[in-house]
Amino acid sequence: MSDATHNLTNRYDSAAGRWRDKMRALGYYDGYLGFLSTPGPKPDPRASVLDVGAGTAAFAEAWVAVNGAPSQLTLLEPSHAMLEQGAAALRARGVEPRLLPAMLGEVRDGPAHEVLAAHVIEHCPDPLQALKHLYGLTLGGGRLRLVVSKPHWCNAIIWLQWRHRTFGKAEIQSLVKEAGFEIESDYDFPSGPPSRTSYGLVARRPD
C-alpha cells in the first residue's frame, strides 16, 4: 500500500464514526434510493452484489431497501472502521455481508452480477485502470452502477479535504466505454448536495 493510500485509509478510519449519519443528513442515502429506483431492467433477486469502496455501506443499504437482500452482498473497503459500521447497518436490515478489507485492484474476487461503486474512481491515480478493475469484477451480462463526482464549486471545497478529481459527463462516459462497458442509462440527482456533487450511470458488461 502506498503512503498516499495509507494516509487516505487512516483518514477514513478517523471519519467512520460519524460518516453514516453525515451521509444521511446530506441526502446521499436518499439520492442512492432514487438512483436505484429509476426505470430499467430489474436485477434478478438471486443476484450477487459487490459494493466497491463501500464506506459505511450507504449504497448497499439503499440496494437492500429497493431490491431486497441479494444472494450474496460483499463490501470491498480498505477502512476496517468503515467496514464495521457498514456491516452493522446491513445486519440491522437482516443481511450478513461478506467483508473484504482491501483497495480496488488489490483483490481478484469472484465477479458479481451487480457492482456498486460510489465516489471511488475519483480517488484512484488512473481512473481508466480503476474502471477496468470494476469490469473484471462484473460478470458477463452484469451491471455496474457508478456514481462519480462532477465539476461544481461544492466539489472544489470537498477537494480541500480529500484531493479527489471530478469528471464531466462526456469524459466519464468515454472512460466507461473504453473500459469495455456498454452504457445503458445515466442519472442526474434531482436535489440536495448530491445534485451538485454527483452524477450516476448504469453500464452493462457484454455477455
Side-chain angles (χ1 to χ4, degrees):
M1 182 183 293
S2 69
D3 288 342
T5 298
H6 181 73
N7 290 336
L8 181 63
T9 300
N10 284 342
R11 283 191 287 147
Y12 275 115
D13 281 338
S14 298
R18 60 187 183 277
W19 193 265
R20 183 170 181 265
D21 289 342
K22 184 178 181 180
M23 291 299 97
R24 274 169 160 66
L26 292 173
Y28 285 92
Y29 175 72
D30 288 338
Y32 297 151
L33 288 174
F35 177 37
L36 294 172
S37 299
T38 54
K42 296 302 178 185
D44 189 313
R46 297 166 297 178
S48 55
V49 177
L50 170 62
D51 188 354
V52 177
T56 54
F59 209 177
E61 264 200 275
W63 177 277
V64 173
V66 172
N67 298 299
S71 62
Q72 178 176 275
L73 176 54
T74 301
L75 305 181
L76 174 63
E77 164 63 45
S79 166
H80 288 266
M82 289 276 190
L83 277 177
E84 290 171 6
Q85 292 281 334
L90 288 164
R91 287 170 188 144
R93 292 183 175 273
V95 176
E96 183 62 43
R98 179 169 164 262
L99 307 181
L100 288 178
M103 297 286 292
L104 175 62
E106 289 182 346
V107 295
R108 294 294 182 268
D109 199 49
H113 298 95
E114 300 282 345
V115 175
L116 313 177
H119 299 295
V120 175
I121 68 167
E122 48 265 66
H123 296 286
C124 298
D126 185 339
L128 177 58
Q129 186 62 40
L131 286 163
K132 288 180 177 179
H133 285 312
L134 291 171
Y135 183 89
L137 293 171
T138 309
L139 283 167
R143 289 178 174 82
L144 168 66
R145 299 175 194 270
L146 181 70
V147 180
V148 298
S149 299
K150 68 181 185 180
H152 190 275
W153 66 263
C154 286
N155 267 318
I157 295 173
I158 297 170
W159 178 88
L160 293 173
Q161 181 176 9
W162 299 110
R163 294 300 193 268
H164 66 312
R165 63 171 294 168
T166 59
F167 302 92
K169 284 186 181 182
E171 180 186 12
I172 189 60
Q173 288 186 6
S174 176
L175 287 169
V176 168
K177 291 175 183 176
E178 190 175 350
F181 289 101
E182 299 171 347
I183 296 175
E184 289 190 334
S185 63
D186 65 353
Y187 184 76
D188 290 308
F189 290 84
S191 62
S195 70
R196 298 187 289 276
T197 63
S198 306
Y199 167 69
L201 62 82
V202 179
R204 180 179 179 274
R205 174 170 174 165
D207 293 320

